[in-house]
Amino acid sequence: MNIAYLNGQYLPIEQAKISPLDRGFLFGDGVYEVVPSYEGKLVGFLPHLQRMNEGLEAIGISTGWSENQWLDLCLKLIQQNGAGNLGIYLQISRGAYESRAHRFPDKVNPTIFAFCFEIPPAPVADKSHAKTYTVSTARDIRWDRRDIKSTSLLGNVLHYQQGVEQGNQETLLYNEHNELTEASSCNAFIVKNGTVITPPLDHQKLPGITRQILIDILRNDGNIVVEERAVTMNEVAEADEVWITSSSREIAPVIAIDSVPVGDGQIGDVWLAAQTLFSANRFNY
Ligand code: PDD
């Protein structure tokens, strides 16, 4: 049974109902998070919560919830759904109002919804077991505040679907200057001559928690140089390795872009070093 949380109640997900006038449904007016949990242990709870609170503040929603209340919600969902490998999904919309109007209603309670879904076991740093990815490419058509983890994901959905229809599992996105932004549901990294390079944070991409943790782990270790700077389409094409990162995938090796092999078309050694460090440190965040 999948036990969800909705506005103060824990209940089977089929029984969780929201109003069709909910602004999350009508306008995509809300934010969300996905926190990974392996065998009952959360990865990156605090940075995920911080990003969610920043998103809520950016769009003017206040829940009044404390850090402990959010933690308690996550732990109760784990407890009630069995401590397997779970993505804990949290969503806050501005709430349901009596009519459809663009302006923020004066009095409306946010809708707080959470549920769990199964994710694959934590990735292992082993080339022979790692899942590899092939990706499409596209001009990034999304809005100008991609740093907010908004539930308005139509642009992301269309980009992801393009990849699927082309036989791939993701789509790398480029801005109008042919610079890499991210992928439709992941951040992106390249490796060139042993240096790990990822585009800097700005409004064009989500500040991914896996990205943040990975950069921190690599810098603390100190054996691999990490650069945060603009990455051009040509640099991606000439990279030795390309990775996409997200909470449920961690560091995912990309072996072909638009059917052209990345490097030698195999998982790279820098990926192995990075995923080894990530696996050793994931629960420290
Ligand atoms: N996706 N960029 C985008 C557009 C994303 O949607 C995500 C996450 C990321 C990676 O962020 P993080 O490392 O914090 O998971 C980057 C989530 C998992 C999703 O929408 O399901």
mmCIF file of all heavy atoms in Angstrom, residues 14 134 222 261:
data_model
loop_
_atom_site.group_PDB
_atom_site.id
_atom_site.type_symbol
_atom_site.label_atom_id
_atom_site.label_comp_id
_atom_site.label_asym_id
_atom_site.label_seq_id
_atom_site.Cartn_x
_atom_site.Cartn_y
_atom_site.Cartn_z
ATOM 1 N N GLU A 14 -4.757 6.480 -3.080
ATOM 2 C CA GLU A 14 -5.997 6.541 -3.883
ATOM 3 C C GLU A 14 -7.053 7.393 -3.195
ATOM 4 O O GLU A 14 -7.973 7.886 -3.846
ATOM 5 C CB GLU A 14 -6.616 5.152 -4.117
ATOM 6 C CG GLU A 14 -5.706 4.032 -4.510
ATOM 7 C CD GLU A 14 -4.899 3.500 -3.351
ATOM 8 O OE1 GLU A 14 -5.459 3.098 -2.319
ATOM 9 O OE2 GLU A 14 -3.658 3.517 -3.497
ATOM 10 N N THR A 134 21.941 7.321 -23.151
ATOM 11 C CA THR A 134 22.133 8.021 -24.417
ATOM 12 C C THR A 134 21.159 9.196 -24.404
ATOM 13 O O THR A 134 20.072 9.099 -23.825
ATOM 14 C CB THR A 134 21.860 7.112 -25.631
ATOM 15 O OG1 THR A 134 20.478 6.727 -25.628
ATOM 16 C CG2 THR A 134 22.739 5.878 -25.608
ATOM 17 N N GLY A 222 40.002 16.495 -3.331
ATOM 18 C CA GLY A 222 41.124 17.261 -3.861
ATOM 19 C C GLY A 222 41.934 16.608 -4.974
ATOM 20 O O GLY A 222 42.862 17.223 -5.499
ATOM 21 N N PRO A 261 29.074 8.621 -30.294
ATOM 22 C CA PRO A 261 29.670 8.200 -29.020
ATOM 23 C C PRO A 261 30.372 9.348 -28.301
ATOM 24 O O PRO A 261 30.965 10.227 -28.932
ATOM 25 C CB PRO A 261 30.707 7.140 -29.435
ATOM 26 C CG PRO A 261 30.348 6.742 -30.822
ATOM 27 C CD PRO A 261 29.613 7.894 -31.441
#
